[in-house]
Amino acid sequence: MSLRIVVCVKYVPDATGDRHFAEDHTTDRDAVDGLLSELDEYAVEQALQIKEANDDVEITVLTMGGDDAKDALRKALSMGADKAAHVNDEALHGTDVMGTSLVLAKAVEQIGYDLVLCGMSSTDGVMGVLPALLAERLGVPQVTLLSEVSVADGTVNGRRDGDTASQRLSAALPAVASVTDQSGEARYPSFKGIMAAKKKPVLALDLSDLGIDPADVGLAGAWSAVDEVAERPARTAGTVVKDEGEGGRQLAAFLAERRFV
Amino acid sequence: MGEVLVLVDHVDGAVRKPTLELLTLARRIGEPVAVHLGPGADTAAATLGEYGASTVHAADAPEFADYLVVPQVDALEQVAKAVNPVAVLLPSSGEAKEVAARLALRLGSGLITDAVDLEAGAEGPVATQSVFAAGFTVRSRVSRGTPVITVKPNSATPEPAPVSATVQPLKVLFGSAATGTKIVSRTPREDTGRPELTEAAIVVSGGRGVNGAENFAVIEALADELGAAVGASRAAVDAGWYPHTNQVGQTGKTVSPQLYIAAGISGAIQHRAGMQTSKTIVAVNKDAEAPIFDLVDYGVVGDLFQVLPQLTDEVKARKG
Ligand SMILES: Cc1cc2nc3c(=O)[nH]c(=O)nc-3n(C[C@H](O)[C@H](O)[C@H](O)COP(=O)(O)OP(=O)(O)OC[C@H]3O[C@@H](n4cnc5c(N)ncnc54)[C@H](O)[C@@H]3O)c2cc1C
Ligand SMILES: Nc1ncnc2c1ncn2[C@@H]1O[C@H](COP(=O)(O)O)[C@@H](O)[C@H]1O
């Protein structure tokens, strides 16, 4: 029995760069170099480990994004995914998470899947809700925020470390799962992997391929609106002293002055 | 004024502090109505009333404990459709955010996550969010349906507004998706006796500079003297020196205490994302060039194994 895994990966602006907003209050995706979200590398890694542990597994990496987003697909392919799909359409500019979940749900259905794997959150939007939305739209179980995941006999199992308890979860396939950065370091692409990636198929999709009305996505189709963005004023530099044997006491005096002791 | 649904975060009826913050914020945009799922509603009602909830919709069923997320969505959807609220507020935990998202989709409503402030606006509630590792502040609003908004802990000071709360039992009709993801077992977290990281007024965090699990005793000693919670950088967590639940940063907790003390932490962007909005920031690091010093109100360039014990002793002396 074959197992079809679709991994959703996002192309994001580098967090160590000087990230900004564009005039229309959307994330400026030109000002800073982009990359495959580090948190989605963990999802690719777990897909590869599931492939190694099971027979006849095929991994498709899926992204929704502009032309540059193909770099994210390339990276995932060079790590070892089998093929890729890229939803790219002018009308998608400014799409919110509700719209993104619609697009990815349609794409996942078109590709065909037994398991959808996501990262725990994107590193730009940081909402961490897309996997739950995908499960809701697809009408399949969500097995999310896993620090450990495995697939066997048509079920997906995992460990979810919550605030008050650690839970063991189980659901029948098809399902949507997401993994955290505690799930295990992602591998680096090998030279062989990078060369092989160049020959792997990338399916290009636009909104008409997915049967989506452009009015349902994009900035105008969003269900929430950003009215104002403001750069947080830089913190004014405080006092920095060098410890000459009195550093702890000096610090205590500062804390006392601020009434913390 | 319309009603504002607030999902209660509780452990067997013991209401957690973020819920009191939500009730306080809810009163700015309408009349708070609590939704209590799981056991303990009668215990919780006293506290919820104290903070302004006159009605507590309460449902208890095994589904809430045995299956992930969806049973809560079914319950909230049912209440929301009956009450037709002006907004739904939930805490910003990983789980409540997922509940919020699925609820919003079912209601055909927009979603805002991780608000740090909330106020009434001409076109509905306006949320403030802190984005790009707290480098920017954004004001946003839901433009379609009933605003569903999750709010980070420590975003408001709980203010009492006592009313007497009536518990309204709720019989939830679960859909077929409710039992999709089974919670096979559950291991509760050990109670350290220290304050909750996201709720604490003071946080003392250690990083790679702490150099070993056993050395975290130095961080804990200072934390206990200050009545603080203990945090850790991802480097310290990845090294296995401290539990992941204590990680501060992008993939850990966001904290916004009155005082944040970083020891042996360089101040990488992903760490700053979780602590940059702290009111007062203090760092101890032996590298004068460490980026954490760009954020501090007070910094000491020095060895944390010299500075922290001295600080702990001095705090003890001043208290005594
Ligand atoms: C997607 C992603 C998500 C991430 N999420 C998080 C997150 O949630 N939280 C997080 O913290 N990081 C996160 N990181 C990692 C982050 O980039 C840094 O690697 C990490 O924060 C470094 O931890 P550190 O400051 O303890 O270690 P280092 O950067 O190694 O700094 C250690 C510091 O200790 C100082 N030091 C050493 N010895 C002493 C001593 N005896 N006395 C005083 N000072 C000393 C050194 O001078 C140095 O500045 C994430 C990274 C990625 C890519
Ligand atoms: N545009 C996108 N293309 C593909 N996957 C995405 C996209 N946006 C989000 N995801 C996936 O959804 C996860 C959670 O994203 P978010 O809810 O935006 O924080 C990410 O880790 C990705 O796996």
Side-chain angles (χ1 to χ4, degrees), chain A residues 42 136 142 144 166 168 170 181 225 227-228 230 232 239 241 243 245 248, chain B residues 98 102 106 134-135 137 139 141 181-182 184-185 187 234 251 299 301 310:
Chain A
Y42 294 94
E136 178 73 28
Q142 73 165 76
T144 47
S166 171
R168 291 239 151 237
S170 174
D181 60 342
D227 289 334
E228 260 176 71
R232 175 183 285 276
T239 315
V241 298
D243 179 35
Chain B
E98 295 184 326
R102 297 184 72 140
R106 287 189 190 181
T137 302
R139 283 161 61 84
R141 125 193 96 69
T181 308
K182 174 110 187 101
V184 180
S185 67
T187 317
R234 177 162 149 190
T251 55
V301 179
Q310 189 179 73

PDB file of all heavy atoms in Angstrom, chain A residues 42 136 142 144 166 168 170 181 225 227-228 230 232 239 241 243 245 248, chain B residues 98 102 106 134-135 137 139 141 181-182 184-185 187 234 251 299 301 310:
ATOM      1  N   TYR A  42      11.794  21.022   9.405  1.00  0.00           N
ATOM      2  CA  TYR A  42      11.512  19.916  10.334  1.00  0.00           C
ATOM      3  C   TYR A  42      10.422  18.999   9.765  1.00  0.00           C
ATOM      4  O   TYR A  42      10.452  17.792   9.973  1.00  0.00           O
ATOM      5  CB  TYR A  42      11.094  20.453  11.708  1.00  0.00           C
ATOM      6  CG  TYR A  42      12.208  21.182  12.426  1.00  0.00           C
ATOM      7  CD1 TYR A  42      12.339  22.558  12.333  1.00  0.00           C
ATOM      8  CD2 TYR A  42      13.145  20.474  13.177  1.00  0.00           C
ATOM      9  CE1 TYR A  42      13.368  23.235  12.984  1.00  0.00           C
ATOM     10  CE2 TYR A  42      14.178  21.133  13.829  1.00  0.00           C
ATOM     11  CZ  TYR A  42      14.286  22.518  13.729  1.00  0.00           C
ATOM     12  OH  TYR A  42      15.310  23.173  14.359  1.00  0.00           O
ATOM     13  N   GLU A 136      -9.665  21.190   9.099  1.00  0.00           N
ATOM     14  CA  GLU A 136     -11.083  21.578   9.106  1.00  0.00           C
ATOM     15  C   GLU A 136     -11.635  21.574   7.681  1.00  0.00           C
ATOM     16  O   GLU A 136     -12.695  21.043   7.408  1.00  0.00           O
ATOM     17  CB  GLU A 136     -11.226  22.969   9.756  1.00  0.00           C
ATOM     18  CG  GLU A 136     -12.642  23.525   9.793  1.00  0.00           C
ATOM     19  CD  GLU A 136     -13.561  22.857  10.809  1.00  0.00           C
ATOM     20  OE1 GLU A 136     -13.055  22.363  11.827  1.00  0.00           O
ATOM     21  OE2 GLU A 136     -14.784  22.823  10.549  1.00  0.00           O
ATOM     22  N   GLN A 142      -6.753  16.318  12.788  1.00  0.00           N
ATOM     23  CA  GLN A 142      -5.520  17.085  12.935  1.00  0.00           C
ATOM     24  C   GLN A 142      -4.699  16.469  14.059  1.00  0.00           C
ATOM     25  O   GLN A 142      -5.205  16.196  15.135  1.00  0.00           O
ATOM     26  CB  GLN A 142      -5.818  18.559  13.240  1.00  0.00           C
ATOM     27  CG  GLN A 142      -6.325  18.835  14.651  1.00  0.00           C
ATOM     28  CD  GLN A 142      -6.265  20.303  15.018  1.00  0.00           C
ATOM     29  OE1 GLN A 142      -7.093  21.095  14.571  1.00  0.00           O
ATOM     30  NE2 GLN A 142      -5.302  20.670  15.850  1.00  0.00           N
ATOM     31  N   THR A 144      -1.483  17.677  15.592  1.00  0.00           N
ATOM     32  CA  THR A 144      -0.594  18.813  15.394  1.00  0.00           C
ATOM     33  C   THR A 144       0.346  19.094  16.562  1.00  0.00           C
ATOM     34  O   THR A 144       0.165  18.592  17.651  1.00  0.00           O
ATOM     35  CB  THR A 144      -1.439  20.067  15.130  1.00  0.00           C
ATOM     36  OG1 THR A 144      -2.479  20.123  16.101  1.00  0.00           O
ATOM     37  CG2 THR A 144      -2.043  20.035  13.748  1.00  0.00           C
ATOM     38  N   SER A 166       1.856  16.466  28.651  1.00  0.00           N
ATOM     39  CA  SER A 166       2.357  15.908  27.405  1.00  0.00           C
ATOM     40  C   SER A 166       1.371  14.810  26.992  1.00  0.00           C
ATOM     41  O   SER A 166       1.015  13.973  27.814  1.00  0.00           O
ATOM     42  CB  SER A 166       3.751  15.355  27.660  1.00  0.00           C
ATOM     43  OG  SER A 166       4.186  14.628  26.554  1.00  0.00           O
ATOM     44  N   ARG A 168      -0.117  11.749  24.235  1.00  0.00           N
ATOM     45  CA  ARG A 168       0.106  10.839  23.111  1.00  0.00           C
ATOM     46  C   ARG A 168      -1.150  10.888  22.256  1.00  0.00           C
ATOM     47  O   ARG A 168      -2.258  10.728  22.770  1.00  0.00           O
ATOM     48  CB  ARG A 168       0.317   9.406  23.604  1.00  0.00           C
ATOM     49  CG  ARG A 168       1.599   9.237  24.330  1.00  0.00           C
ATOM     50  CD  ARG A 168       2.472   8.173  23.630  1.00  0.00           C
ATOM     51  NE  ARG A 168       3.863   8.486  23.862  1.00  0.00           N
ATOM     52  CZ  ARG A 168       4.769   8.689  22.892  1.00  0.00           C
ATOM     53  NH1 ARG A 168       4.424   8.585  21.624  1.00  0.00           N
ATOM     54  NH2 ARG A 168       6.003   8.992  23.187  1.00  0.00           N
ATOM     55  N   SER A 170      -3.307   9.880  18.522  1.00  0.00           N
ATOM     56  CA  SER A 170      -3.412   8.894  17.461  1.00  0.00           C
ATOM     57  C   SER A 170      -4.622   9.208  16.578  1.00  0.00           C
ATOM     58  O   SER A 170      -5.676   9.598  17.088  1.00  0.00           O
ATOM     59  CB  SER A 170      -3.553   7.509  18.098  1.00  0.00           C
ATOM     60  OG  SER A 170      -3.801   6.559  17.096  1.00  0.00           O
ATOM     61  N   ASP A 181       9.950  22.189  16.368  1.00  0.00           N
ATOM     62  CA  ASP A 181      11.404  22.163  16.213  1.00  0.00           C
ATOM     63  C   ASP A 181      12.060  21.236  17.235  1.00  0.00           C
ATOM     64  O   ASP A 181      13.275  21.140  17.305  1.00  0.00           O
ATOM     65  CB  ASP A 181      11.990  23.577  16.289  1.00  0.00           C
ATOM     66  CG  ASP A 181      11.704  24.268  17.606  1.00  0.00           C
ATOM     67  OD1 ASP A 181      10.784  23.845  18.340  1.00  0.00           O
ATOM     68  OD2 ASP A 181      12.400  25.259  17.909  1.00  0.00           O
ATOM     69  N   ALA A 225      -8.063  42.847   8.427  1.00  0.00           N
ATOM     70  CA  ALA A 225      -7.363  43.943   7.772  1.00  0.00           C
ATOM     71  C   ALA A 225      -6.379  44.593   8.729  1.00  0.00           C
ATOM     72  O   ALA A 225      -6.660  44.748   9.919  1.00  0.00           O
ATOM     73  CB  ALA A 225      -8.370  44.984   7.290  1.00  0.00           C
ATOM     74  N   ASP A 227      -4.713  47.939   9.763  1.00  0.00           N
ATOM     75  CA  ASP A 227      -4.957  49.369   9.579  1.00  0.00           C
ATOM     76  C   ASP A 227      -3.697  50.206   9.740  1.00  0.00           C
ATOM     77  O   ASP A 227      -3.560  51.253   9.131  1.00  0.00           O
ATOM     78  CB  ASP A 227      -6.004  49.850  10.592  1.00  0.00           C
ATOM     79  CG  ASP A 227      -7.394  49.318  10.264  1.00  0.00           C
ATOM     80  OD1 ASP A 227      -7.641  49.033   9.079  1.00  0.00           O
ATOM     81  OD2 ASP A 227      -8.214  49.178  11.185  1.00  0.00           O
ATOM     82  N   GLU A 228      -2.793  49.747  10.580  1.00  0.00           N
ATOM     83  CA  GLU A 228      -1.629  50.570  10.914  1.00  0.00           C
ATOM     84  C   GLU A 228      -0.436  49.688  11.211  1.00  0.00           C
ATOM     85  O   GLU A 228      -0.587  48.660  11.880  1.00  0.00           O
ATOM     86  CB  GLU A 228      -1.906  51.301  12.242  1.00  0.00           C
ATOM     87  CG  GLU A 228      -2.334  52.737  12.133  1.00  0.00           C
ATOM     88  CD  GLU A 228      -2.642  53.246  13.542  1.00  0.00           C
ATOM     89  OE1 GLU A 228      -1.705  53.427  14.329  1.00  0.00           O
ATOM     90  OE2 GLU A 228      -3.847  53.419  13.819  1.00  0.00           O
ATOM     91  N   ALA A 230       3.630  50.180  12.746  1.00  0.00           N
ATOM     92  CA  ALA A 230       4.604  51.135  13.260  1.00  0.00           C
ATOM     93  C   ALA A 230       5.825  50.391  13.739  1.00  0.00           C
ATOM     94  O   ALA A 230       5.708  49.351  14.395  1.00  0.00           O
ATOM     95  CB  ALA A 230       3.996  51.938  14.409  1.00  0.00           C
ATOM     96  N   ARG A 232       8.631  49.530  16.130  1.00  0.00           N
ATOM     97  CA  ARG A 232       8.794  49.740  17.573  1.00  0.00           C
ATOM     98  C   ARG A 232      10.036  50.594  17.792  1.00  0.00           C
ATOM     99  O   ARG A 232      11.091  50.294  17.246  1.00  0.00           O
ATOM    100  CB  ARG A 232       8.960  48.381  18.261  1.00  0.00           C
ATOM    101  CG  ARG A 232       9.252  48.470  19.740  1.00  0.00           C
ATOM    102  CD  ARG A 232       9.472  47.086  20.298  1.00  0.00           C
ATOM    103  NE  ARG A 232       8.206  46.392  20.423  1.00  0.00           N
ATOM    104  CZ  ARG A 232       7.388  46.538  21.474  1.00  0.00           C
ATOM    105  NH1 ARG A 232       7.715  47.331  22.472  1.00  0.00           N
ATOM    106  NH2 ARG A 232       6.258  45.898  21.528  1.00  0.00           N
ATOM    107  N   THR A 239      22.492  51.446  30.995  1.00  0.00           N
ATOM    108  CA  THR A 239      23.829  51.466  31.571  1.00  0.00           C
ATOM    109  C   THR A 239      24.455  50.077  31.434  1.00  0.00           C
ATOM    110  O   THR A 239      23.814  49.083  31.755  1.00  0.00           O
ATOM    111  CB  THR A 239      23.736  51.778  33.080  1.00  0.00           C
ATOM    112  OG1 THR A 239      22.830  52.848  33.233  1.00  0.00           O
ATOM    113  CG2 THR A 239      25.076  52.084  33.679  1.00  0.00           C
ATOM    114  N   VAL A 241      27.871  48.131  32.726  1.00  0.00           N
ATOM    115  CA  VAL A 241      29.093  48.247  33.519  1.00  0.00           C
ATOM    116  C   VAL A 241      29.918  46.974  33.361  1.00  0.00           C
ATOM    117  O   VAL A 241      29.406  45.913  33.035  1.00  0.00           O
ATOM    118  CB  VAL A 241      28.789  48.449  35.030  1.00  0.00           C
ATOM    119  CG1 VAL A 241      28.023  49.746  35.247  1.00  0.00           C
ATOM    120  CG2 VAL A 241      28.027  47.261  35.608  1.00  0.00           C
ATOM    121  N   ASP A 243      32.170  44.153  35.130  1.00  0.00           N
ATOM    122  CA  ASP A 243      32.308  43.609  36.479  1.00  0.00           C
ATOM    123  C   ASP A 243      33.771  43.695  36.936  1.00  0.00           C
ATOM    124  O   ASP A 243      34.648  43.096  36.328  1.00  0.00           O
ATOM    125  CB  ASP A 243      31.829  42.156  36.518  1.00  0.00           C
ATOM    126  CG  ASP A 243      31.988  41.545  37.906  1.00  0.00           C
ATOM    127  OD1 ASP A 243      31.811  42.302  38.895  1.00  0.00           O
ATOM    128  OD2 ASP A 243      32.269  40.337  37.997  1.00  0.00           O
ATOM    129  N   GLY A 245      34.369  43.009  40.152  1.00  0.00           N
ATOM    130  CA  GLY A 245      34.235  42.405  41.478  1.00  0.00           C
ATOM    131  C   GLY A 245      33.007  42.899  42.236  1.00  0.00           C
ATOM    132  O   GLY A 245      32.642  42.359  43.266  1.00  0.00           O
ATOM    133  N   GLY A 248      27.640  42.214  40.752  1.00  0.00           N
ATOM    134  CA  GLY A 248      26.412  41.693  41.351  1.00  0.00           C
ATOM    135  C   GLY A 248      25.779  42.715  42.281  1.00  0.00           C
ATOM    136  O   GLY A 248      24.559  42.919  42.255  1.00  0.00           O
TER     137      GLY A 248
ATOM    138  N   GLU B  98      -5.583  26.949  17.837  1.00  0.00           N
ATOM    139  CA  GLU B  98      -6.145  26.006  16.866  1.00  0.00           C
ATOM    140  C   GLU B  98      -7.669  25.970  16.976  1.00  0.00           C
ATOM    141  O   GLU B  98      -8.374  25.910  15.968  1.00  0.00           O
ATOM    142  CB  GLU B  98      -5.553  24.615  17.083  1.00  0.00           C
ATOM    143  CG  GLU B  98      -4.061  24.578  16.792  1.00  0.00           C
ATOM    144  CD  GLU B  98      -3.461  23.185  16.906  1.00  0.00           C
ATOM    145  OE1 GLU B  98      -3.907  22.393  17.755  1.00  0.00           O
ATOM    146  OE2 GLU B  98      -2.527  22.893  16.147  1.00  0.00           O
ATOM    147  N   ARG B 102     -10.323  27.126  13.805  1.00  0.00           N
ATOM    148  CA  ARG B 102     -11.387  26.275  13.251  1.00  0.00           C
ATOM    149  C   ARG B 102     -12.753  26.888  13.508  1.00  0.00           C
ATOM    150  O   ARG B 102     -13.648  26.819  12.660  1.00  0.00           O
ATOM    151  CB  ARG B 102     -11.290  24.865  13.842  1.00  0.00           C
ATOM    152  CG  ARG B 102      -9.978  24.170  13.464  1.00  0.00           C
ATOM    153  CD  ARG B 102      -9.914  22.747  13.973  1.00  0.00           C
ATOM    154  NE  ARG B 102     -10.812  21.894  13.225  1.00  0.00           N
ATOM    155  CZ  ARG B 102     -10.544  20.650  12.839  1.00  0.00           C
ATOM    156  NH1 ARG B 102      -9.359  20.125  13.117  1.00  0.00           N
ATOM    157  NH2 ARG B 102     -11.424  19.936  12.182  1.00  0.00           N
ATOM    158  N   ARG B 106     -15.537  28.067  10.661  1.00  0.00           N
ATOM    159  CA  ARG B 106     -16.933  27.610  10.681  1.00  0.00           C
ATOM    160  C   ARG B 106     -17.911  28.778  10.724  1.00  0.00           C
ATOM    161  O   ARG B 106     -19.009  28.685  10.171  1.00  0.00           O
ATOM    162  CB  ARG B 106     -17.183  26.729  11.903  1.00  0.00           C
ATOM    163  CG  ARG B 106     -16.541  25.374  11.778  1.00  0.00           C
ATOM    164  CD  ARG B 106     -17.010  24.513  12.913  1.00  0.00           C
ATOM    165  NE  ARG B 106     -16.241  23.284  12.980  1.00  0.00           N
ATOM    166  CZ  ARG B 106     -16.470  22.330  13.886  1.00  0.00           C
ATOM    167  NH1 ARG B 106     -17.416  22.498  14.790  1.00  0.00           N
ATOM    168  NH2 ARG B 106     -15.736  21.236  13.884  1.00  0.00           N
ATOM    169  N   ALA B 134       8.924  41.280  17.467  1.00  0.00           N
ATOM    170  CA  ALA B 134       8.601  42.454  18.266  1.00  0.00           C
ATOM    171  C   ALA B 134       9.256  43.725  17.722  1.00  0.00           C
ATOM    172  O   ALA B 134       9.355  44.726  18.417  1.00  0.00           O
ATOM    173  CB  ALA B 134       8.944  42.258  19.744  1.00  0.00           C
ATOM    174  N   GLY B 135       9.669  43.708  16.466  1.00  0.00           N
ATOM    175  CA  GLY B 135      10.257  44.887  15.847  1.00  0.00           C
ATOM    176  C   GLY B 135       9.202  45.882  15.394  1.00  0.00           C
ATOM    177  O   GLY B 135       9.479  47.068  15.202  1.00  0.00           O
ATOM    178  N   THR B 137       4.810  47.091  15.607  1.00  0.00           N
ATOM    179  CA  THR B 137       3.508  47.004  16.236  1.00  0.00           C
ATOM    180  C   THR B 137       2.464  47.204  15.147  1.00  0.00           C
ATOM    181  O   THR B 137       2.585  48.104  14.338  1.00  0.00           O
ATOM    182  CB  THR B 137       3.359  48.099  17.306  1.00  0.00           C
ATOM    183  OG1 THR B 137       4.402  47.929  18.247  1.00  0.00           O
ATOM    184  CG2 THR B 137       2.039  48.002  18.009  1.00  0.00           C
ATOM    185  N   ARG B 139      -1.762  47.339  14.129  1.00  0.00           N
ATOM    186  CA  ARG B 139      -3.143  47.414  14.608  1.00  0.00           C
ATOM    187  C   ARG B 139      -4.048  46.825  13.538  1.00  0.00           C
ATOM    188  O   ARG B 139      -3.987  47.236  12.380  1.00  0.00           O
ATOM    189  CB  ARG B 139      -3.526  48.854  14.941  1.00  0.00           C
ATOM    190  CG  ARG B 139      -2.927  49.297  16.286  1.00  0.00           C
ATOM    191  CD  ARG B 139      -2.892  50.783  16.429  1.00  0.00           C
ATOM    192  NE  ARG B 139      -4.223  51.369  16.375  1.00  0.00           N
ATOM    193  CZ  ARG B 139      -5.054  51.461  17.408  1.00  0.00           C
ATOM    194  NH1 ARG B 139      -4.696  50.976  18.588  1.00  0.00           N
ATOM    195  NH2 ARG B 139      -6.233  52.022  17.290  1.00  0.00           N
ATOM    196  N   ARG B 141      -7.886  44.511  12.472  1.00  0.00           N
ATOM    197  CA  ARG B 141      -9.292  44.286  12.823  1.00  0.00           C
ATOM    198  C   ARG B 141      -9.840  43.225  11.905  1.00  0.00           C
ATOM    199  O   ARG B 141      -9.298  42.984  10.812  1.00  0.00           O
ATOM    200  CB  ARG B 141      -9.929  45.672  12.713  1.00  0.00           C
ATOM    201  CG  ARG B 141     -11.060  45.951  11.896  1.00  0.00           C
ATOM    202  CD  ARG B 141     -11.180  47.498  11.812  1.00  0.00           C
ATOM    203  NE  ARG B 141     -10.543  47.990  10.585  1.00  0.00           N
ATOM    204  CZ  ARG B 141     -11.033  47.757   9.373  1.00  0.00           C
ATOM    205  NH1 ARG B 141     -12.115  47.071   9.198  1.00  0.00           N
ATOM    206  NH2 ARG B 141     -10.405  48.220   8.306  1.00  0.00           N
ATOM    207  N   THR B 181      -9.220  12.708  16.500  1.00  0.00           N
ATOM    208  CA  THR B 181      -7.863  12.586  17.038  1.00  0.00           C
ATOM    209  C   THR B 181      -7.930  12.197  18.498  1.00  0.00           C
ATOM    210  O   THR B 181      -8.312  12.986  19.363  1.00  0.00           O
ATOM    211  CB  THR B 181      -7.092  13.914  16.891  1.00  0.00           C
ATOM    212  OG1 THR B 181      -7.184  14.337  15.534  1.00  0.00           O
ATOM    213  CG2 THR B 181      -5.635  13.727  17.268  1.00  0.00           C
ATOM    214  N   LYS B 182      -7.548  10.970  18.779  1.00  0.00           N
ATOM    215  CA  LYS B 182      -7.660  10.421  20.128  1.00  0.00           C
ATOM    216  C   LYS B 182      -6.466  10.837  20.979  1.00  0.00           C
ATOM    217  O   LYS B 182      -5.316  10.761  20.530  1.00  0.00           O
ATOM    218  CB  LYS B 182      -7.727   8.890  20.013  1.00  0.00           C
ATOM    219  CG  LYS B 182      -7.704   8.161  21.322  1.00  0.00           C
ATOM    220  CD  LYS B 182      -9.061   7.518  21.618  1.00  0.00           C
ATOM    221  CE  LYS B 182      -9.125   6.907  23.007  1.00  0.00           C
ATOM    222  NZ  LYS B 182      -9.821   7.734  23.991  1.00  0.00           N
ATOM    223  N   VAL B 184      -4.481   9.481  23.558  1.00  0.00           N
ATOM    224  CA  VAL B 184      -4.305   8.121  24.055  1.00  0.00           C
ATOM    225  C   VAL B 184      -3.859   8.124  25.518  1.00  0.00           C
ATOM    226  O   VAL B 184      -4.282   7.309  26.320  1.00  0.00           O
ATOM    227  CB  VAL B 184      -3.264   7.375  23.185  1.00  0.00           C
ATOM    228  CG1 VAL B 184      -3.071   5.962  23.673  1.00  0.00           C
ATOM    229  CG2 VAL B 184      -3.692   7.398  21.727  1.00  0.00           C
ATOM    230  N   SER B 185      -2.985   9.063  25.847  1.00  0.00           N
ATOM    231  CA  SER B 185      -2.544   9.182  27.239  1.00  0.00           C
ATOM    232  C   SER B 185      -2.059  10.598  27.490  1.00  0.00           C
ATOM    233  O   SER B 185      -1.818  11.366  26.547  1.00  0.00           O
ATOM    234  CB  SER B 185      -1.434   8.181  27.540  1.00  0.00           C
ATOM    235  OG  SER B 185      -0.281   8.535  26.802  1.00  0.00           O
ATOM    236  N   THR B 187       0.483  12.871  30.260  1.00  0.00           N
ATOM    237  CA  THR B 187       1.383  12.943  31.405  1.00  0.00           C
ATOM    238  C   THR B 187       1.438  14.386  31.879  1.00  0.00           C
ATOM    239  O   THR B 187       1.972  15.240  31.169  1.00  0.00           O
ATOM    240  CB  THR B 187       2.813  12.500  30.996  1.00  0.00           C
ATOM    241  OG1 THR B 187       2.708  11.346  30.175  1.00  0.00           O
ATOM    242  CG2 THR B 187       3.671  12.195  32.206  1.00  0.00           C
ATOM    243  N   ARG B 234      17.086  28.594  23.593  1.00  0.00           N
ATOM    244  CA  ARG B 234      16.990  27.322  22.896  1.00  0.00           C
ATOM    245  C   ARG B 234      18.302  26.558  22.950  1.00  0.00           C
ATOM    246  O   ARG B 234      18.306  25.325  23.018  1.00  0.00           O
ATOM    247  CB  ARG B 234      16.570  27.553  21.440  1.00  0.00           C
ATOM    248  CG  ARG B 234      16.537  26.265  20.673  1.00  0.00           C
ATOM    249  CD  ARG B 234      15.727  26.380  19.414  1.00  0.00           C
ATOM    250  NE  ARG B 234      16.280  25.490  18.414  1.00  0.00           N
ATOM    251  CZ  ARG B 234      15.922  25.495  17.155  1.00  0.00           C
ATOM    252  NH1 ARG B 234      15.019  26.358  16.717  1.00  0.00           N
ATOM    253  NH2 ARG B 234      16.456  24.665  16.310  1.00  0.00           N
ATOM    254  N   THR B 251      10.093  29.914  19.171  1.00  0.00           N
ATOM    255  CA  THR B 251       9.488  28.579  19.217  1.00  0.00           C
ATOM    256  C   THR B 251       9.304  28.106  20.655  1.00  0.00           C
ATOM    257  O   THR B 251       9.082  26.931  20.898  1.00  0.00           O
ATOM    258  CB  THR B 251      10.312  27.563  18.411  1.00  0.00           C
ATOM    259  OG1 THR B 251      11.648  27.578  18.889  1.00  0.00           O
ATOM    260  CG2 THR B 251      10.302  27.903  16.941  1.00  0.00           C
ATOM    261  N   GLY B 299      23.180  46.431  32.170  1.00  0.00           N
ATOM    262  CA  GLY B 299      23.942  45.253  31.778  1.00  0.00           C
ATOM    263  C   GLY B 299      25.234  45.151  32.558  1.00  0.00           C
ATOM    264  O   GLY B 299      25.820  46.175  32.926  1.00  0.00           O
ATOM    265  N   VAL B 301      28.926  43.369  32.110  1.00  0.00           N
ATOM    266  CA  VAL B 301      29.867  42.563  31.342  1.00  0.00           C
ATOM    267  C   VAL B 301      30.698  41.796  32.346  1.00  0.00           C
ATOM    268  O   VAL B 301      31.487  42.382  33.090  1.00  0.00           O
ATOM    269  CB  VAL B 301      30.761  43.447  30.450  1.00  0.00           C
ATOM    270  CG1 VAL B 301      31.752  42.574  29.681  1.00  0.00           C
ATOM    271  CG2 VAL B 301      29.923  44.292  29.507  1.00  0.00           C
ATOM    272  N   GLN B 310      26.648  36.724  43.653  1.00  0.00           N
ATOM    273  CA  GLN B 310      26.788  37.957  44.419  1.00  0.00           C
ATOM    274  C   GLN B 310      25.459  38.714  44.455  1.00  0.00           C
ATOM    275  O   GLN B 310      25.042  39.216  45.499  1.00  0.00           O
ATOM    276  CB  GLN B 310      27.880  38.836  43.789  1.00  0.00           C
ATOM    277  CG  GLN B 310      28.255  40.029  44.639  1.00  0.00           C
ATOM    278  CD  GLN B 310      29.348  40.861  43.995  1.00  0.00           C
ATOM    279  OE1 GLN B 310      29.096  41.566  43.019  1.00  0.00           O
ATOM    280  NE2 GLN B 310      30.566  40.763  44.518  1.00  0.00           N
TER     281      GLN B 310
END
